[in-house]
């Protein structure tokens, strides 16, 4: 890809050993299956200077949502999204980003508040492969152990090539305290999920984590991919729902 990954060194709670955490830019859905956009019509490809950058999700005809680390340092002119396609580099429609609403509380050092809203033009034309994802209620509880679906594009093996077709994997919501014990830096704006041999990874940054038809998480970061004891970390949408609705006029 066209630039070097950002690396974050944090001290893990297990033995105090420094762990290398990476925002999930370029990588893979681990242990998943191919998917069709008709089954994930909210899924978007976020492009920077016409190159694949991250995932994103449709919120309305005029707004999309992604991770703030995908937009940090970028101008709106550099960004666009592809909608309505199962494929990362073909089909569907292209929509220019006209304005970035990056969360004011975003902290690149710990990836807290890792969310940005994108205004697009032309607006999305809703249809069978283009639909907004529902937001959860702010008081919605996402039970530990419940299944959630995460989708995106990325290589399926370490060092492999980028697949053209969308992929997805079902993971389980992890206990917040156990996740914090692993990372030592989990805030109330984060939610964790994983399963043995299954995970989101760098190529899935900014993409959706969906439970019961609602957007509960946005792919943010993790230690490795599908590492035992280290679930993937997602932006918790319920914690930031009011900001989303205010900024996007929903």
């Amino acid at each position: 890809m066209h630039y070097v990954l950002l690396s974050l060194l944090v001290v893990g709670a297990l033995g105090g050993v420094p762990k290398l955490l990476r925002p999930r830019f370029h990588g893979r859905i681990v242990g998943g299956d191919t998917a069709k956009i008709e089954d994930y019509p909210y899924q978007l490809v976020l492009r920077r200077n016409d190159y694949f950058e991250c995932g994103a999700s449709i919120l309305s005809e005029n707004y999309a949502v992604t991770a703030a680390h995908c937009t940090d340092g970028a101008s709106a002119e550099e960004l666009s999204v592809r909608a309505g396609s199962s494929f990362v580099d073909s089909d569907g429609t292209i929509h220019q980003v006209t304005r970035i609403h990056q969360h004011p509380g975003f902290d690149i050092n710990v990836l807290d508040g890792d969310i940005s809203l994108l205004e697009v033009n032309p607006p999305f034309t809703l249809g069978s492969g283009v639909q907004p994802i529902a937001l959860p209620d702010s008081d919605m509880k996402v039970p530990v152990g419940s299944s959630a679906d995460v989708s995106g594009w990325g290589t399926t093996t370490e060092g492999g090539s980028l697949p053209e077709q969308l992929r997805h994997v079902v993971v389980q919501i992890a206990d917040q305290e156990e996740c914090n014990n692993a990372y030592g830096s989990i805030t109330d704006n984060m939610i964790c999920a994983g399963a043995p041999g299954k995970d989101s990874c760098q190529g899935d940054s900014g993409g959706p984590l969906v439970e019961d038809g609602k957007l509960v998480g946005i792919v943010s970061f993790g230690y490795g991919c599908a590492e035992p004891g280290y679930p993937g970390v997602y932006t918790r949408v319920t914690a930031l729902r009011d900001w989303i609705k205010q900024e996007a006029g929903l």
Side-chain angles (χ1 to χ4, degrees), residues 35 38 59 61 75 85 90 94 120 125 127 134 141 157 176 189 219 234:
E38 289 79 9
L59 285 179
E61 292 177 331
S75 65
S85 177
S90 61
I94 303 298
V120 300
T125 300
K141 305 299 182 184
T157 59
Q176 191 84 347
N189 292 327
V219 180
Y234 301 77

Side-chain angles (χ1 to χ4, degrees), residues 41-59:
Y42 45 81
Q43 178 79 51
L44 297 168
V45 178
L46 176 61
R47 311 180 330 148
R48 186 171 183 173
N49 295 323
D50 298 329
Y51 288 94
F52 169 67
E53 178 80 357
C54 283
S57 303
I58 299 172
L59 285 179

Side-chain angles (χ1 to χ4, degrees), residues 150 189-191 193 199-200 209 217-220 232-236:
V150 58
N189 292 327
M190 302 174 186
I191 187 171
D199 198 2
S200 59
L209 178 72
I218 297 165
V219 180
S220 184
V233 184
Y234 301 77
T235 305
R236 184 184 291 269

Side-chain angles (χ1 to χ4, degrees), residues 136-243:
D137 295 332
S138 56
D139 59 352
M140 175 182 171
K141 305 299 182 184
V142 186
V144 173
S146 61
S147 294
D149 205 346
V150 58
S151 50
W153 288 269
T155 63
T156 57
T157 59
E158 191 69 38
S161 59
L162 192 74
E164 275 290 307
Q165 189 164 353
L166 180 66
R167 298 182 68 84
H168 81 106
V169 69
V170 175
V171 291
Q172 281 72 51
I173 303 299
D175 180 81
Q176 191 84 347
E177 184 175 348
E178 291 179 5
C179 190
N180 189 57
N181 288 340
Y183 288 103
S185 58
I186 301 303
T187 74
D188 290 341
N189 292 327
M190 302 174 186
I191 187 171
C192 305
K198 298 180 179 181
D199 198 2
S200 59
C201 202
Q202 281 83 21
D204 307 309
S205 267
L209 178 72
V210 175
E211 195 261 349
D212 194 26
K214 296 182 179 179
L215 182 69
V216 297
I218 297 165
V219 180
S220 184
F221 71 92
Y223 169 56
C225 299
E227 289 282 346
Y230 290 90
V233 184
Y234 301 77
T235 305
R236 184 184 291 269
V237 174
T238 53
L240 301 169
R241 176 182 178 274
D242 290 346
W243 177 82

